């Protein structure tokens, strides 16, 4: 990700309704949310939400897929990963002990698994 793309993504997330939409879409993966339901959940008119979703989509953070008469919106985790990696590039000057707590905090839903110790039976 280049600096301009990062600024576009950060700018898209810098508005309360768009941030709320994006965070809500993240929680609804992998199913996504129909546009009408998303408008209801964030408490904005559908035409207002449409503008916000267009800004998020232009930044690559969400994408919509037509299903019959509705559009299902989903968060773009690949773009989110690119943004986070852009922000953390060269994290802590390469000192792993400084980055480890930050990286652990970035994965609260998926804690690292403890290595399984093999047992031998005599």
């Amino acid at each position: 990700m280049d600096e301009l793309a990062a600024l576009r993504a950060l700018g898209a997330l810098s508005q309360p309704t768009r941030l709320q939409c994006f965070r809500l879409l993240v929680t609804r993966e992998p199913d996504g949310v129909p546009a009408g339901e998303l408008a209801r959940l964030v408490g904005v008119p559908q035409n207002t939400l449409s503008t916000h979703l267009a800004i998020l989509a232009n930044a690559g953070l969400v994408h919509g897929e037509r299903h019959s008469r509705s559009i299902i919106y989903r968060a773009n985790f690949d773009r989110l990963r690119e943004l986070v990696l852009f922000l953390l590039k060269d994290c802590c000057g390469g000192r792993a002990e400084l980055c480890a707590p930050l990286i652990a905090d970035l994965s609260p839903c998926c804690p690292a698994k403890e290595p399984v110790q093999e047992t031998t039976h005599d």
Side-chain angles (χ1 to χ4, degrees):
M1 172 174 278
D2 63 19
E3 188 173 295
L4 183 58
L7 289 169
R8 189 176 297 118
L10 291 169
L13 293 171
S14 70
Q15 196 277 342
T17 301
R18 292 193 295 269
L19 181 60
Q20 183 181 4
C21 284
F22 184 76
R23 294 186 72 200
L24 195 144
L25 289 172
V26 166
T27 68
R28 296 292 183 93
E29 281 300 312
D31 299 324
V33 181
E37 181 182 347
L38 188 57
R40 183 184 59 77
L41 290 170
V42 298
V44 297
Q46 285 188 12
N47 61 340
T48 300
L49 181 68
S50 178
T51 301
H52 290 302
L53 289 171
I55 292 168
L56 289 167
N58 187 44
L61 293 168
V62 303
H63 59 275
E65 183 178 308
R66 182 165 292 282
H67 287 270
S68 187
R69 291 177 26 177
S70 65
I71 300 175
I72 308 297
Y73 282 92
R74 291 182 176 83
N76 183 344
F77 278 94
D78 289 336
R79 189 59 155 193
L80 177 59
R81 183 181 340 97
E82 290 173 4
L83 178 60
V84 171
L85 289 174
F86 175 84
L87 293 172
L88 296 177
K89 186 177 180 187
D90 304 321
C91 174
C92 307
R95 295 181 55 199
E97 70 278 7
L98 296 175
C99 291
L102 174 61
I103 291 168
D105 286 345
L106 288 174
S107 56
C109 64
C110 310
K113 295 180 181 176
E114 294 293 322
V116 176
Q117 293 183 354
E118 292 184 27
T119 58
T120 57
H121 298 285
D122 294 321

